[in-house]
Structure formats: structure tokens, C-alpha cells
Amino acid sequence: MHEEAMTRIAFIGLGNMGGGMAANQAKAGRTVAAFDLSAAALEKAAGAGCTPAGSVAEAVKDAEAVITMLPAGPHVRSVYAEQVLPHAPKSALLIDCSTIDVESARAVAGQAKAQGFRFADAPVSGGTAAAEAGTLAFMVGCDEADFAEVERIIAPMSRATIRAGDHGAGQAAKICNNMVLGISMIGVCEALALAEKLGLDPVKFYEISSQSSGQCWSLTSYCPWPGPVPAAPSNRGYEGGFATAMMLKDLKLAQEAAARAGAAAPLGAAAEGLYALFDRLGGGGKDFSAILELLRGNAPQGT
């Protein structure tokens, strides 16, 4: 515990994901200087054992490691260029856990390395519940020599930390994984909606498909039909979980990356279109599995 208490973390970005992640760093006995533009988020972080900072510069000034969890690439680029790199000690390990485009991750890594910093892109999978429980999966892009230290810093927030490759590889892994998730969830929802129309009890279909070749994570761990998987957001009116707007963001990143790389991703494009439609119809705040309602012909019930 003494070693953990000596670890000084700066945590920037205390939203739905970052708040729980920062709290787990504090719970591990580490000293956490936290910053967010939201006063309410800072207050919540203080209640979880973090020390609120008045600015990014103040949070990072004595940090051993800086962890950022920000909305998108432009935020990451500006926060690092204007606030983290000028004010953090050169010895600090910089870890960006935001989900952003591969190009931005590599650009920030290049700037950090040019100024003598160690940097990792380390986006996460698991959602808000895993962020609070400290059971996220981290996909890391970094120099191989830095990975052991990245893993140590991430440990209080993680159930699995995997080095995907060099800078940008963490972001590549995240957007490819979430493209699989977005596409497979639509397939499960289409099948459930069709089963219902054919007069087959969707719960009975779940029982059959979960033990057949249609079995997949979207069906058996996150079932969009209420009942079969008690922990799934489908049992809470699709509240909590992974918002449709966030899935749409990740699918857009995947399509942008595919266009740049010259890769064919037609099902990813179709999934993006369906989630964009669901978002515009008011489903942006619902868990992404609520797209089942669109496929059943039902309008989203609020956001």
C-alpha cells in the first residue's frame, strides 16, 4: 500500500467513464489529482477520494502518470498540446484512454515523444458499470519497453490489459472491436424481431440460438430482449450501458479509418446508418441494444 500511496496520478476527464476510473485509482491508495470542466463531476470525484484541481496544469504538475478520458480527437490534441505537455514533468507517463481516431492518437504520441515523454493510447471496453467496478479491458498502443509501467498504472481500473502494438494500435483495436459489436447486435436484433413476427417466442429463440451456431456475445452476454440475461440493459428500459450515440461515434471512426486505409467495410457502413437513424429518432441516450425497438417497428421512448 505504501508503494501505491507514493503513486501520483493526474486524471483529466471525469465523465461517465472517467469518474469511475479515477475513483478506482484513489481506492487503490494512490494520490489522484483530478480535473474536469464540470463542477459536479469534480465534487463527485472529491467524494470518491480524489483531490480536485483548478486546472489541467495544476493537476499534472507533480504527476507520475497522467490519464486522460476525453470526448474526441480534437479535445485530446488540444489538451495535450496546450496543457499536459507544457506542464507535466518529463518523467510522467502519459496515458490517453479516450476513444479517438488513429491519426490523432499517433499525432499526439509523436508530439509527446518529441518532447521526451512516454505515451500510450489505451482505449477501453466494458462500459460504465465496468468503469465503476474496475473491470475494464484496455487495448494499449505504446513502445514495448513502456508497457509494463502502463500495465501497472492501469491495474486498479482493469481486468485485462493487452498491448495491441505501437502507437495508434490501441485505437485501431477498439474501433475494429466495436464495429464487430455494432454489427453483431443488429444481427441479433433482426433475428429476435423476425422470431416474434413468425410467432416464435423470442425467449425460446434465445434458448435455442444461445446453444446453436448463432451464439455470440451480443446474444448471450447482452441480450437485447428482456428476460434471458438479467444484467443486460434490456431489463432496465435500455438505461445505463453503452449509449447509442457512443456506438455511433465508434462506427463513424471505423468508417473514417476504413476510407483512409482503403478497406472494405460495407456491413460497418450499414450499421452506422442504422444507428444514425435510431439516434435521430431519439434513441441516442438509450443503450445501443435498444435498436431492437427500431427493428420491431417501435419508436424510441424518449432519450
Side-chain angles (χ1 to χ4, degrees):
M1 182 59 78
H2 179 66
E3 182 189 340
E4 292 298 311
M6 296 288 284
T7 304
R8 296 182 307 280
I9 306 290
F11 206 108
I12 314 302
L14 305 167
N16 291 338
M17 296 294 291
M21 293 164 70
N24 279 311
Q25 288 286 346
K27 201 181 294 181
R30 296 174 173 180
T31 301
V32 181
F35 179 75
D36 193 278
L37 293 172
S38 161
L42 278 174
E43 192 177 329
K44 189 175 178 184
C50 301
T51 302
S55 64
V56 173
E58 183 187 324
V60 305
K61 66 180 180 181
D62 297 316
E64 180 183 335
V66 176
I67 302 171
T68 49
M69 189 52 139
L70 301 165
H75 305 92
V76 173
R77 286 177 183 258
S78 65
V79 166
Y80 274 89
E82 298 164 20
Q83 299 172 75
V84 175
L85 299 182
H87 298 288
K90 298 293 184 190
S91 57
L93 174 62
L94 312 179
I95 304 174
D96 179 44
C97 295
S98 320
T99 295
I100 61 173
D101 59 289
V102 175
E103 243 177 42
S104 289
R106 288 178 177 156
V108 173
Q111 291 167 6
K113 288 192 77 174
Q115 295 186 41
F117 289 95
R118 296 165 296 154
F119 178 86
D121 51 287
V124 305
S125 178
T128 54
E132 289 168 11
T135 56
L136 291 165
F138 287 78
M139 306 158 215
V140 181
C142 68
D143 288 343
E144 195 166 3
D146 297 334
F147 180 64
E149 182 64 2
V150 172
E151 195 170 23
R152 182 183 80 83
I153 295 298
I154 283 172
M157 310 180 291
S158 171
R159 65 168 172 80
T161 302
I162 301 163
R163 181 175 178 266
D166 294 330
H167 296 110
Q171 298 298 346
K174 172 66 188 286
I175 61 175
C176 290
N177 178 77
N178 277 24
M179 186 171 74
V180 171
L181 177 59
I183 293 168
S184 67
M185 181 56 76
I186 289 171
V188 167
C189 290
E190 285 188 356
L192 286 163
L194 176 59
E196 181 185 29
K197 283 286 188 188
L198 295 174
L200 172 62
D201 179 0
V203 175
K204 181 56 69 174
F205 171 72
Y206 168 87
E207 184 184 338
I208 293 164
S209 191
S210 65
Q211 299 176 70
S212 303
S213 55
Q215 189 280 326
C216 63
W217 190 90
S218 291
L219 179 68
T220 54
S221 293
Y222 213 80
C223 184
W225 194 276
V229 179
S234 54
N235 298 296
R236 306 188 297 273
Y238 301 101
E239 299 297 334
F242 185 49
T244 291
M246 293 295 99
M247 174 55 81
L248 178 57
K249 171 196 163 185
D250 290 355
L251 289 168
K252 285 180 182 295
L253 289 173
Q255 285 301 299
E256 288 165 11
R260 287 197 194 99
L267 289 182
E272 180 198 346
L274 280 168
Y275 283 110
L277 175 61
F278 189 54
D279 180 53
R280 285 195 292 272
L281 289 172
K286 296 285 189 181
D287 182 79
F288 77 107
S289 64
I291 201 165
L292 171 64
E293 293 306 299
L294 177 68
L295 296 167
R296 293 175 73 203
N298 301 330
Q301 300 300 307
T303 57

